[in-house]
mmCIF file of all heavy atoms in Angstrom:
data_model
loop_
_atom_site.group_PDB
_atom_site.id
_atom_site.type_symbol
_atom_site.label_atom_id
_atom_site.label_comp_id
_atom_site.label_asym_id
_atom_site.label_seq_id
_atom_site.Cartn_x
_atom_site.Cartn_y
_atom_site.Cartn_z
ATOM 1 N N ASP S 55 98.350 -106.680 37.731
ATOM 2 C CA ASP S 55 98.843 -105.916 36.420
ATOM 3 C C ASP S 55 100.161 -106.731 36.011
ATOM 4 O O ASP S 55 100.648 -107.378 36.575
ATOM 5 C CB ASP S 55 99.276 -104.494 36.857
ATOM 6 C CG ASP S 55 98.257 -103.672 37.266
ATOM 7 O OD1 ASP S 55 97.011 -104.108 37.464
ATOM 8 O OD2 ASP S 55 98.427 -102.390 37.685
ATOM 9 N N LYS S 56 100.122 -106.548 34.593
ATOM 10 C CA LYS S 56 101.279 -107.096 33.913
ATOM 11 C C LYS S 56 101.744 -106.045 32.942
ATOM 12 O O LYS S 56 100.972 -105.598 32.075
ATOM 13 C CB LYS S 56 100.956 -108.415 33.210
ATOM 14 C CG LYS S 56 102.163 -108.917 32.484
ATOM 15 C CD LYS S 56 101.811 -110.262 31.592
ATOM 16 C CE LYS S 56 102.838 -110.757 30.804
ATOM 17 N NZ LYS S 56 102.512 -112.011 30.140
ATOM 18 N N GLU S 57 102.996 -105.739 33.043
ATOM 19 C CA GLU S 57 103.616 -104.580 32.213
ATOM 20 C C GLU S 57 104.601 -105.073 31.230
ATOM 21 O O GLU S 57 105.447 -105.945 31.501
ATOM 22 C CB GLU S 57 104.260 -103.583 33.180
ATOM 23 C CG GLU S 57 104.755 -102.254 32.412
ATOM 24 C CD GLU S 57 105.369 -101.219 33.259
ATOM 25 O OE1 GLU S 57 104.650 -100.941 34.569
ATOM 26 O OE2 GLU S 57 106.301 -100.596 33.080
ATOM 27 N N ASP S 58 104.505 -104.537 30.085
ATOM 28 C CA ASP S 58 105.410 -104.922 28.921
ATOM 29 C C ASP S 58 105.723 -103.627 28.183
ATOM 30 O O ASP S 58 104.836 -103.244 27.349
ATOM 31 C CB ASP S 58 104.983 -106.017 28.152
ATOM 32 C CG ASP S 58 106.016 -106.507 27.002
ATOM 33 O OD1 ASP S 58 107.043 -105.780 27.013
ATOM 34 O OD2 ASP S 58 105.639 -107.396 26.267
ATOM 35 N N GLY S 59 106.775 -102.900 28.451
ATOM 36 C CA GLY S 59 106.982 -101.696 27.757
ATOM 37 C C GLY S 59 105.963 -100.610 27.983
ATOM 38 O O GLY S 59 105.641 -100.442 29.261
ATOM 39 N N ARG S 60 105.335 -100.066 26.972
ATOM 40 C CA ARG S 60 104.331 -99.088 27.077
ATOM 41 C C ARG S 60 102.939 -99.733 27.478
ATOM 42 O O ARG S 60 101.979 -98.966 27.690
ATOM 43 C CB ARG S 60 104.158 -98.255 25.875
ATOM 44 C CG ARG S 60 105.487 -97.469 25.517
ATOM 45 C CD ARG S 60 105.182 -96.507 24.375
ATOM 46 N NE ARG S 60 104.926 -97.206 23.151
ATOM 47 C CZ ARG S 60 103.762 -97.228 22.507
ATOM 48 N NH1 ARG S 60 102.728 -96.416 22.945
ATOM 49 N NH2 ARG S 60 103.551 -97.857 21.295
ATOM 50 N N PHE S 61 102.807 -100.933 27.437
ATOM 51 C CA PHE S 61 101.599 -101.680 27.704
ATOM 52 C C PHE S 61 101.453 -102.371 29.031
ATOM 53 O O PHE S 61 102.414 -102.921 29.601
ATOM 54 C CB PHE S 61 101.411 -102.853 26.709
ATOM 55 C CG PHE S 61 101.419 -102.417 25.173
ATOM 56 C CD1 PHE S 61 102.520 -102.433 24.373
ATOM 57 C CD2 PHE S 61 100.282 -101.807 24.525
ATOM 58 C CE1 PHE S 61 102.736 -102.074 23.156
ATOM 59 C CE2 PHE S 61 100.434 -101.501 23.252
ATOM 60 C CZ PHE S 61 101.393 -101.555 22.514
ATOM 61 N N THR S 62 100.295 -102.196 29.641
ATOM 62 C CA THR S 62 99.973 -102.747 30.871
ATOM 63 C C THR S 62 98.598 -103.504 30.802
ATOM 64 O O THR S 62 97.667 -102.800 30.367
ATOM 65 C CB THR S 62 99.994 -101.754 32.026
ATOM 66 O OG1 THR S 62 101.273 -101.089 32.143
ATOM 67 C CG2 THR S 62 99.626 -102.466 33.250
ATOM 68 N N ALA S 63 98.596 -104.677 31.139
ATOM 69 C CA ALA S 63 97.349 -105.451 31.043
ATOM 70 C C ALA S 63 96.865 -105.478 32.610
ATOM 71 O O ALA S 63 97.681 -105.783 33.495
ATOM 72 C CB ALA S 63 97.410 -106.880 30.490
ATOM 73 N N GLN S 64 95.598 -105.426 32.862
ATOM 74 C CA GLN S 64 95.121 -105.490 34.225
ATOM 75 C C GLN S 64 94.020 -106.438 34.148
ATOM 76 O O GLN S 64 93.067 -106.551 33.353
ATOM 77 C CB GLN S 64 94.624 -104.132 34.667
ATOM 78 C CG GLN S 64 95.687 -102.971 34.734
ATOM 79 C CD GLN S 64 95.068 -101.676 35.029
ATOM 80 O OE1 GLN S 64 94.024 -101.321 34.599
ATOM 81 N NE2 GLN S 64 95.667 -101.027 35.843
ATOM 82 N N LEU S 65 93.989 -107.299 35.218
ATOM 83 C CA LEU S 65 92.877 -108.329 35.295
ATOM 84 C C LEU S 65 92.311 -108.432 36.636
ATOM 85 O O LEU S 65 92.974 -108.400 37.625
ATOM 86 C CB LEU S 65 93.583 -109.784 34.933
ATOM 87 C CG LEU S 65 92.626 -110.896 35.203
ATOM 88 C CD1 LEU S 65 91.468 -110.936 34.231
ATOM 89 C CD2 LEU S 65 93.487 -112.292 34.969
ATOM 90 N N ASN S 66 90.986 -108.470 36.576
ATOM 91 C CA ASN S 66 90.237 -108.571 37.966
ATOM 92 C C ASN S 66 89.222 -109.710 37.637
ATOM 93 O O ASN S 66 88.097 -109.527 36.994
ATOM 94 C CB ASN S 66 89.469 -107.349 38.203
ATOM 95 C CG ASN S 66 88.791 -107.334 39.587
ATOM 96 O OD1 ASN S 66 88.275 -108.454 39.899
ATOM 97 N ND2 ASN S 66 88.788 -106.273 40.279
ATOM 98 N N LYS S 67 89.591 -110.977 38.073
ATOM 99 C CA LYS S 67 88.629 -112.081 37.750
ATOM 100 C C LYS S 67 87.310 -111.982 38.590
ATOM 101 O O LYS S 67 86.287 -112.493 38.069
ATOM 102 C CB LYS S 67 89.398 -113.270 38.098
ATOM 103 C CG LYS S 67 90.503 -113.805 37.077
ATOM 104 C CD LYS S 67 91.021 -115.142 37.464
ATOM 105 C CE LYS S 67 92.192 -115.514 36.429
ATOM 106 N NZ LYS S 67 92.665 -116.914 36.836
ATOM 107 N N ALA S 68 87.441 -111.374 39.729
ATOM 108 C CA ALA S 68 86.143 -111.302 40.486
ATOM 109 C C ALA S 68 85.079 -110.369 39.710
ATOM 110 O O ALA S 68 83.894 -110.703 39.839
ATOM 111 C CB ALA S 68 86.493 -110.654 41.993
ATOM 112 N N SER S 69 85.553 -109.381 39.140
ATOM 113 C CA SER S 69 84.834 -108.458 38.405
ATOM 114 C C SER S 69 84.633 -108.830 36.970
ATOM 115 O O SER S 69 83.849 -108.268 36.275
ATOM 116 C CB SER S 69 85.268 -107.087 38.506
ATOM 117 O OG SER S 69 85.411 -106.530 39.757
ATOM 118 N N GLN S 70 85.245 -109.952 36.614
ATOM 119 C CA GLN S 70 85.404 -110.415 35.121
ATOM 120 C C GLN S 70 85.639 -109.313 34.212
ATOM 121 O O GLN S 70 84.895 -109.031 33.197
ATOM 122 C CB GLN S 70 83.904 -111.099 34.945
ATOM 123 C CG GLN S 70 83.738 -112.262 35.541
ATOM 124 C CD GLN S 70 82.342 -112.891 35.552
ATOM 125 O OE1 GLN S 70 81.553 -112.939 36.340
ATOM 126 N NE2 GLN S 70 82.053 -113.395 34.261
ATOM 127 N N TYR S 71 86.686 -108.714 34.353
ATOM 128 C CA TYR S 71 87.199 -107.485 33.811
ATOM 129 C C TYR S 71 88.694 -107.464 33.459
ATOM 130 O O TYR S 71 89.431 -107.935 34.334
ATOM 131 C CB TYR S 71 86.844 -106.337 34.763
ATOM 132 C CG TYR S 71 87.215 -104.965 34.292
ATOM 133 C CD1 TYR S 71 86.344 -104.151 33.547
ATOM 134 C CD2 TYR S 71 88.413 -104.372 34.576
ATOM 135 C CE1 TYR S 71 86.671 -102.862 33.169
ATOM 136 C CE2 TYR S 71 88.821 -103.118 34.274
ATOM 137 C CZ TYR S 71 87.929 -102.274 33.507
ATOM 138 O OH TYR S 71 88.267 -101.064 33.099
ATOM 139 N N VAL S 72 88.981 -107.129 32.300
ATOM 140 C CA VAL S 72 90.382 -107.066 31.835
ATOM 141 C C VAL S 72 90.563 -105.761 31.143
ATOM 142 O O VAL S 72 89.707 -105.479 30.322
ATOM 143 C CB VAL S 72 90.811 -108.286 31.033
ATOM 144 C CG1 VAL S 72 89.774 -108.434 29.780
ATOM 145 C CG2 VAL S 72 92.241 -108.280 30.764
ATOM 146 N N SER S 73 91.756 -105.153 31.261
ATOM 147 C CA SER S 73 91.896 -103.924 30.602
ATOM 148 C C SER S 73 93.312 -103.793 29.967
ATOM 149 O O SER S 73 94.193 -104.508 30.409
ATOM 150 C CB SER S 73 91.734 -102.656 31.577
ATOM 151 O OG SER S 73 92.603 -102.626 32.609
ATOM 152 N N LEU S 74 93.546 -102.888 29.015
ATOM 153 C CA LEU S 74 94.803 -102.782 28.445
ATOM 154 C C LEU S 74 95.104 -101.153 28.566
ATOM 155 O O LEU S 74 94.246 -100.336 28.027
ATOM 156 C CB LEU S 74 94.942 -103.171 27.076
ATOM 157 C CG LEU S 74 96.251 -102.919 26.377
ATOM 158 C CD1 LEU S 74 97.378 -103.807 26.845
ATOM 159 C CD2 LEU S 74 96.041 -103.180 24.744
ATOM 160 N N LEU S 75 96.200 -100.759 29.097
ATOM 161 C CA LEU S 75 96.601 -99.436 29.185
ATOM 162 C C LEU S 75 97.851 -99.289 28.151
ATOM 163 O O LEU S 75 98.716 -100.070 28.239
ATOM 164 C CB LEU S 75 96.988 -98.941 30.552
ATOM 165 C CG LEU S 75 95.920 -99.175 31.711
ATOM 166 C CD1 LEU S 75 96.595 -98.699 32.984
ATOM 167 C CD2 LEU S 75 94.855 -98.221 31.343
ATOM 168 N N ILE S 76 97.760 -98.263 27.392
ATOM 169 C CA ILE S 76 98.869 -97.824 26.432
ATOM 170 C C ILE S 76 99.391 -96.550 26.956
ATOM 171 O O ILE S 76 98.695 -95.513 26.790
ATOM 172 C CB ILE S 76 98.406 -97.891 25.014
ATOM 173 C CG1 ILE S 76 97.702 -99.171 24.703
ATOM 174 C CG2 ILE S 76 99.562 -97.643 24.110
ATOM 175 C CD1 ILE S 76 97.206 -99.172 23.289
ATOM 176 N N ARG S 77 100.556 -96.488 27.328
ATOM 177 C CA ARG S 77 101.139 -95.125 27.762
ATOM 178 C C ARG S 77 101.889 -94.602 26.607
ATOM 179 O O ARG S 77 102.236 -95.341 25.641
ATOM 180 C CB ARG S 77 102.161 -95.362 28.940
ATOM 181 C CG ARG S 77 101.474 -95.834 30.208
ATOM 182 C CD ARG S 77 102.606 -96.042 31.311
ATOM 183 N NE ARG S 77 103.508 -97.103 30.997
ATOM 184 C CZ ARG S 77 103.287 -98.403 31.134
ATOM 185 N NH1 ARG S 77 102.015 -98.692 31.563
ATOM 186 N NH2 ARG S 77 104.079 -99.346 30.769
ATOM 187 N N ASP S 78 101.971 -93.282 26.610
ATOM 188 C CA ASP S 78 102.635 -92.520 25.594
ATOM 189 C C ASP S 78 102.160 -92.929 24.271
ATOM 190 O O ASP S 78 102.888 -93.314 23.455
ATOM 191 C CB ASP S 78 104.295 -92.688 25.800
ATOM 192 C CG ASP S 78 105.022 -91.833 24.791
ATOM 193 O OD1 ASP S 78 104.437 -90.751 24.404
ATOM 194 O OD2 ASP S 78 106.098 -92.117 24.384
ATOM 195 N N SER S 79 100.864 -92.823 24.102
ATOM 196 C CA SER S 79 100.160 -93.319 22.798
ATOM 197 C C SER S 79 100.927 -92.639 21.656
ATOM 198 O O SER S 79 101.169 -91.450 21.587
ATOM 199 C CB SER S 79 98.765 -92.993 22.859
ATOM 200 O OG SER S 79 98.184 -93.699 23.826
ATOM 201 N N GLN S 80 100.962 -93.379 20.516
ATOM 202 C CA GLN S 80 101.560 -93.044 19.235
ATOM 203 C C GLN S 80 100.539 -93.121 18.142
ATOM 204 O O GLN S 80 99.755 -94.003 18.240
ATOM 205 C CB GLN S 80 102.894 -93.724 18.972
ATOM 206 C CG GLN S 80 103.920 -93.581 20.130
ATOM 207 C CD GLN S 80 104.451 -92.150 20.284
ATOM 208 O OE1 GLN S 80 104.821 -91.474 19.227
ATOM 209 N NE2 GLN S 80 104.450 -91.744 21.404
ATOM 210 N N PRO S 81 100.746 -92.299 17.165
ATOM 211 C CA PRO S 81 99.735 -92.460 15.988
ATOM 212 C C PRO S 81 99.792 -93.865 15.459
ATOM 213 O O PRO S 81 98.782 -94.493 15.000
ATOM 214 C CB PRO S 81 100.249 -91.496 14.976
ATOM 215 C CG PRO S 81 100.759 -90.356 15.873
ATOM 216 C CD PRO S 81 101.466 -91.118 17.055
ATOM 217 N N SER S 82 100.937 -94.542 15.466
ATOM 218 C CA SER S 82 101.007 -95.868 15.067
ATOM 219 C C SER S 82 100.295 -96.961 15.851
ATOM 220 O O SER S 82 100.209 -98.095 15.473
ATOM 221 C CB SER S 82 102.520 -96.366 14.918
ATOM 222 O OG SER S 82 103.182 -96.176 16.204
ATOM 223 N N ASP S 83 99.928 -96.578 17.124
ATOM 224 C CA ASP S 83 98.942 -97.404 17.835
ATOM 225 C C ASP S 83 97.564 -97.438 17.490
ATOM 226 O O ASP S 83 96.763 -98.147 17.926
ATOM 227 C CB ASP S 83 99.073 -96.912 19.320
ATOM 228 C CG ASP S 83 100.377 -97.064 20.076
ATOM 229 O OD1 ASP S 83 101.198 -97.994 19.563
ATOM 230 O OD2 ASP S 83 100.770 -96.221 20.887
ATOM 231 N N SER S 84 97.271 -96.585 16.530
ATOM 232 C CA SER S 84 95.873 -96.494 15.968
ATOM 233 C C SER S 84 95.553 -97.908 15.296
ATOM 234 O O SER S 84 96.101 -98.185 14.331
ATOM 235 C CB SER S 84 95.671 -95.375 15.001
ATOM 236 O OG SER S 84 95.983 -94.046 15.570
ATOM 237 N N ALA S 85 94.562 -98.495 15.809
ATOM 238 C CA ALA S 85 94.206 -99.825 15.366
ATOM 239 C C ALA S 85 92.936 -100.301 16.083
ATOM 240 O O ALA S 85 92.461 -99.557 16.962
ATOM 241 C CB ALA S 85 95.414 -100.728 15.581
ATOM 242 N N THR S 86 92.480 -101.422 15.770
ATOM 243 C CA THR S 86 91.524 -102.017 16.553
ATOM 244 C C THR S 86 92.064 -103.115 17.606
ATOM 245 O O THR S 86 93.012 -103.819 17.135
ATOM 246 C CB THR S 86 90.387 -102.865 15.598
ATOM 247 O OG1 THR S 86 89.782 -101.890 14.881
ATOM 248 C CG2 THR S 86 89.456 -103.474 16.491
ATOM 249 N N TYR S 87 91.660 -102.980 18.747
ATOM 250 C CA TYR S 87 92.242 -103.796 19.847
ATOM 251 C C TYR S 87 91.282 -104.876 20.193
ATOM 252 O O TYR S 87 90.141 -104.545 20.666
ATOM 253 C CB TYR S 87 92.709 -103.043 20.940
ATOM 254 C CG TYR S 87 93.948 -102.176 20.727
ATOM 255 C CD1 TYR S 87 93.927 -101.033 19.964
ATOM 256 C CD2 TYR S 87 95.291 -102.671 20.987
ATOM 257 C CE1 TYR S 87 95.081 -100.334 19.704
ATOM 258 C CE2 TYR S 87 96.385 -102.016 20.623
ATOM 259 C CZ TYR S 87 96.263 -100.899 19.966
ATOM 260 O OH TYR S 87 97.350 -100.120 19.586
ATOM 261 N N LEU S 88 91.584 -106.223 20.044
ATOM 262 C CA LEU S 88 90.646 -107.259 20.279
ATOM 263 C C LEU S 88 91.039 -107.895 21.704
ATOM 264 O O LEU S 88 92.172 -108.230 21.939
ATOM 265 C CB LEU S 88 90.771 -108.331 19.280
ATOM 266 C CG LEU S 88 90.504 -107.883 17.836
ATOM 267 C CD1 LEU S 88 90.953 -108.899 16.751
ATOM 268 C CD2 LEU S 88 89.122 -107.486 17.593
#
Side-chain angles (χ1 to χ4, degrees):
Chain S
D55 295 0
K56 179 181 178 183
E57 186 175 319
D58 184 1
R60 295 187 297 115
F61 300 97
T62 299
Q64 298 175 317
L65 174 62
N66 184 325
K67 289 185 178 180
S69 299
Q70 295 177 245
Y71 176 91
V72 59
S73 66
L74 178 70
L75 300 178
I76 305 174
R77 289 180 298 281
D78 188 24
S79 296
Q80 302 297 309
S82 59
D83 294 326
S84 299
T86 296
Y87 288 79
L88 302 172

